[in-house]
């Protein structure tokens, strides 16, 4: 009888703990489950460059001599988020466009021609910055990433005690550091002060792929939407969000000593990707 009571108590405790965890992390858990339940068919950006063309165009760099050989290339699909957005411009007009946001590194593509991305939004997500934090972050970002205490106060226009609290919050979250008599963003070459729109070289074409395993997301769509609203102000709105995948080639070169040189290539642009998280 005692064993049954203990077992029942443990079951209730585990169930209660599981439910409590779910309520705290509902968005992440739901997205994780949906990713694996609905993995048979998904939308992807078009493949404009074949693996063979990329290997041929870059063989002088990748194959140093006849003793270096290509392995069979692999095609992987990395998760992105395509957001249709609307925002106010500085000339008091409204602009509409799209943002192509990477769910692997939590940065968005500035231009599809160069595939240059922002830098700093991932840090903001992991630090769990809030609305007040972003007032400090944006003030610094739009002024070269660094300001004196006085200039920062003049731009935010808030009481000194309130500003001190906001600065301390940013410092605790390792987003802002004190630098002499001023403060600066704790990022290498930050790119946050960006127009909230991806510049497209031409219209994006999508297609549906079946029975191909996509790479897992590192960040959820809800996390990205939240940081976008915090960063881009009250006039920014997301009209529609769609999950989409970028085709990426994994190209290995066999070295004479048996080791492998692994590179990743954007199948949409034909450009090498240098900051891609390793495929597991």
């Amino acid at each position: 009888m005692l064993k049954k009571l203990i077992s029942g108590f443990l079951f209730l405790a585990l169930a209660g703990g599981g439910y409590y965890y779910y309520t705290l992390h509902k968005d992440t858990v739901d997205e994780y489950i949906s990713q694996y339940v609905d993995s048979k068919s998904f939308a992807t950006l078009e493949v404009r460059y074949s693996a063979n063309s990329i290997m041929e165009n870059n063989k002088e760099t990748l194959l140093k001599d006849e003793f270096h050989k290509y392995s069979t290339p692999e095609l992987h699909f990395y998760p992105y988020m395509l957001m249709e957005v609307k925002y106010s411009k500085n000339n008091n007009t409204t602009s509409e466009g799209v943002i192509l946001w990477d769910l692997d590194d939590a940065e968005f593509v500035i231009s599809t021609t160069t595939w240059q991305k922002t830098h700093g939004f991932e840090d903001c997500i992991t630090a769990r910055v809030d609305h007040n934090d972003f007032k400090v972050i944006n003030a610094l970002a739009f002024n070269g990433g660094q300001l004196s205490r006085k200039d920062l106060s003049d731009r935010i226009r808030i009481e000194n005690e309130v500003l001190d609290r906001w600065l301390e919050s940013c410092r605790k979250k390792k987003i802002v550091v004190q630098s002499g008599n001023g403060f600066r963003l704790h990022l290498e070459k930050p790119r946050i002060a960006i127009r909230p729109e991806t510049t497209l070289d031409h219209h994006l074409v999508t297609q549906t792929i079946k029975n191909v395993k996509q790479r897992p997301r590192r960040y959820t769509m809800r996390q990205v939407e939240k940081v976008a609203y915090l960063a881009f102000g009250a006039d920014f709105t997301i009209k529609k969000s769609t999950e989409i995948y970028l085709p990426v080639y994994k190209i290995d070169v066999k070295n004479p000593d048996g080791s492998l040189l692994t590179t990743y290539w954007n199948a949409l642009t034909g450009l090498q990707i240098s900051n891609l998280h390793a495929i597991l």
Side-chain angles (χ1 to χ4, degrees), residues 18-192:
Y19 179 76
Y20 178 70
Y21 179 87
Y22 174 75
T23 57
L24 288 179
H25 304 276
K26 181 179 183 298
D27 291 347
T28 301
V29 172
D30 287 349
E31 291 238 355
Y32 183 85
I33 292 173
S34 68
Q35 179 175 353
Y36 287 94
V37 170
D38 187 23
S39 62
K40 293 183 179 180
S41 176
F42 57 94
T44 174
L45 296 170
E46 68 174 331
V47 174
R48 294 184 190 162
Y49 291 83
S50 68
N52 287 337
S53 67
I54 290 174
M55 291 189 292
E56 180 63 25
N57 292 338
N58 296 277
K59 65 180 181 181
E60 292 185 3
T61 302
L62 296 177
L63 301 181
K64 297 179 181 179
D65 53 44
E66 68 273 16
F67 300 107
H68 292 75
K69 305 293 183 182
Y70 282 124
S71 298
T72 302
E74 299 176 6
L75 183 59
H76 297 263
F77 293 88
Y78 268 77
Y80 275 72
M81 177 179 177
L82 187 64
M83 300 193 310
E84 298 177 18
V85 301
K86 180 169 61 174
Y87 61 95
S88 292
K89 300 174 74 172
N90 293 332
N91 59 357
N92 294 322
T93 61
T94 294
S95 183
E96 297 186 14
V98 298
I99 301 178
L100 190 59
W101 211 304
D102 194 335
L103 297 179
D104 181 66
D105 63 13
E107 304 293 344
F108 78 78
V109 178
I110 299 171
S111 168
T112 59
T113 302
T114 62
W115 217 258
Q116 183 187 37
K117 292 182 180 178
T118 57
H119 177 54
F121 289 106
E122 180 178 30
D123 295 76
C124 292
I125 289 175
T126 56
R128 298 183 180 182
V129 299
D130 59 25
H131 180 70
N132 293 332
D133 296 331
F134 247 111
K135 290 182 180 178
V136 175
I137 293 167
N138 280 335
L140 293 171
F142 279 92
N143 290 277
Q146 185 168 348
L147 282 172
S148 68
R149 173 67 172 72
K150 181 180 182 305
D151 287 340
L152 190 57
S153 177
D154 290 343
R155 280 163 175 76
I156 297 181
R157 296 180 182 178
I158 197 71
E159 294 85 356
N160 285 333
E161 294 136 1
V162 176
L163 179 57
D164 287 338
R165 288 201 301 271
W166 291 0
L167 285 169
E168 184 60 23
S169 172
C170 290
R171 291 176 65 186
K172 285 182 178 179
K173 295 173 181 178
K174 309 300 182 184
I175 291 293
V176 170
V177 294
Q178 190 163 2
S179 179
N181 295 324
F183 296 87
R184 64 175 176 83
L185 291 174
H186 193 26
L187 297 165
E188 182 181 2
K189 297 180 180 178
R191 284 193 295 270
I192 298 178

